[in-house]
Amino acid sequence: MLKKSEGFIGQRSFVLPDYLILSNQQHPLSKGLYITDIGYYPRASFHNRERASGCEQYILIYCVDGEGWYSVNEVRRVIKPHQFFVIPAQTPHQYGADVSNPWSIYWIHFTGQNAKEYLQYLFPNQSVWVQDIPENKERNALFKDILAHIEMSYHQEHVVYANLALGQYLNSFKITHFTTVATSAEQDDPISNVIHFMKEHLSEIKTLEDFAQIAGMSASHFSAVFRQKLQSTPVHFFTFLKMQRACYLLEFTTLRVKEVAFQMGYHDPYHFSRVFTNIMGKSPRDFRNDKVQGVDYL
């Protein structure tokens, strides 16, 4: 297989020297998650890497144009635009650009005490490490900002900044579903419409069938689509929204707990308190006391 030994036109890349990596390992703000290598390869013809013993770091590759592929555990996957994958540390692998339509990629090698947890956060199903992702200009701008600070890494503050921003960058691959859902009502997205409906009816009791009717789907199909996009059942998500609103009322109004319960559609304040405690980890009374220095309106 042909391999390109020199760089790619327009590429940007940087490998941190050992002394900076050691500094990252010891720095209290960086040791949890830090970059060792980073780059952008546009139209990376003949790009190909094979590591029979794996890599010491986790490798994230985000394809923004063209196509490529990767192979892990004897499973080969084609990578298309707006897909990303992560290869776990110490995992033998191979990847490369498509010969006729080479990919353009953003890539990062990262590690740290929390690196494994980030992988589990991005991919709860540990047997699949590739995922579609909607295009996001802010994500790409953030990557370029991180790379620019890494390129200024002769100054430790720039490295710390880049490592802190790395967590935000990785998180953008996870929360994009929520961002897309929350901002796509104008595109007549049924899930977005349902969420808007939920927010407008927090004081009412609604069922799965009510939400499915708004979405124009059967209850079972709607529930499956909703779970896929938000990793939650519709009813549980609606309850979570109610409790977030209850938090606001508890902190910023003088309503009694039972009055907050009634505003959230709970006619039994004790049931409301149990639900609130289950979701927020503390009772409405304790939540308010923590926020309002012990003032009790119950």
Side-chain angles (χ1 to χ4, degrees):
M1 178 180 292
L2 289 174
K3 297 184 181 181
K4 192 173 182 69
S5 58
E6 67 273 12
F8 310 101
I9 297 175
Q11 83 165 61
R12 295 175 65 188
S13 61
F14 194 94
V15 178
L16 270 72
D18 289 344
Y19 78 89
L20 279 177
I21 293 177
L22 179 61
S23 176
N24 286 332
Q25 292 171 347
Q26 298 173 344
H27 197 286
L29 296 180
S30 295
K31 61 184 180 182
L33 184 72
Y34 59 90
I35 298 165
T36 63
D37 312 67
I38 184 171
Y40 168 64
Y41 290 166
R43 301 292 294 174
S45 297
F46 307 117
H47 178 220
N48 184 283
R49 290 301 302 267
E50 180 176 4
R51 299 181 178 92
S53 299
C55 181
E56 292 183 1
Q57 300 86 33
Y58 293 78
I59 304 171
L60 180 145
I61 294 181
Y62 172 39
C63 177
V64 294
D65 193 24
E67 295 183 14
W69 57 273
Y70 85 99
S71 178
V72 173
N73 297 328
E74 299 182 351
V75 176
R76 182 183 173 104
R77 295 287 299 267
V78 174
I79 303 299
K80 296 182 178 294
H82 311 304
Q83 290 187 321
F84 80 101
F85 63 94
V86 177
I87 299 174
Q90 311 298 338
T91 302
H93 62 268
Q94 187 176 8
Y95 56 79
D98 181 79
V99 175
S100 60
N101 184 24
W103 61 15
S104 296
I105 56 173
Y106 296 100
W107 58 268
I108 298 178
H109 289 217
F110 66 93
T111 187
Q113 297 174 357
N114 300 328
K116 182 178 180 180
E117 282 69 27
Y118 271 92
L119 176 66
Q120 294 172 342
Y121 174 66
L122 292 172
F123 299 98
N125 182 353
Q126 289 294 288
S127 64
V128 179
W129 297 310
V130 61
Q131 185 172 309
D132 296 302
I133 200 79
E135 184 176 9
N136 186 315
K137 293 181 180 179
E138 289 76 15
R139 180 189 303 115
N140 295 343
L142 178 58
F143 179 92
K144 294 174 183 177
D145 188 41
I146 292 171
L147 179 54
H149 280 81
I150 287 292
E151 289 173 337
M152 298 287 288
S153 61
Y154 61 86
H155 199 304
Q156 181 65 32
E157 288 184 0
H158 289 282
V159 181
V160 173
Y161 172 93
N163 290 327
L164 292 175
L166 173 61
Q168 181 183 354
Y169 181 72
L170 295 178
N171 196 42
S172 75
F173 290 94
K174 185 72 172 182
I175 65 171
T176 181
H177 293 302
F178 296 89
T179 303
T180 302
V181 168
T183 61
S184 59
E186 67 276 10
Q187 300 175 9
D188 198 30
D189 171 53
I191 303 302
S192 178
N193 291 338
V194 170
I195 293 175
H196 178 74
F197 176 82
M198 289 178 175
K199 292 178 178 179
E200 295 296 317
H201 295 82
L202 293 177
S203 63
E204 303 173 23
I205 301 298
K206 296 296 179 183
T207 65
L208 173 62
E209 287 71 22
D210 294 327
F211 301 138
Q213 184 177 9
I214 297 297
M217 302 177 184
S218 69
S220 59
H221 181 54
F222 168 73
S223 182
V225 173
F226 196 97
R227 277 176 174 270
Q228 182 181 18
K229 288 198 171 185
L230 280 88
Q231 292 80 52
S232 171
T233 67
V235 172
H236 185 271
F237 186 76
F238 184 50
T239 303
F240 179 79
L241 292 179
K242 283 176 174 280
M243 295 306 106
Q244 288 298 306
R245 176 62 180 171
C247 288
Y248 172 83
L249 294 176
L250 289 166
E251 182 174 359
F252 296 106
T253 76
T254 59
L255 292 174
R256 297 176 182 270
V257 170
K258 65 180 181 181
E259 292 173 325
V260 173
F262 293 156
Q263 287 211 14
M264 295 298 97
Y266 291 86
H267 297 292
D268 181 353
Y270 295 101
H271 177 52
F272 164 76
S273 293
R274 288 194 296 271
V275 174
F276 186 95
T277 302
N278 184 55
I279 290 178
M280 300 305 301
K282 61 182 64 177
S283 69
R285 182 197 295 266
D286 289 340
F287 178 87
R288 169 168 274 168
N289 288 342
D290 289 345
K291 296 293 184 180
V292 195
Q293 299 298 318
V295 178
D296 186 3
Y297 298 105
L298 182 60

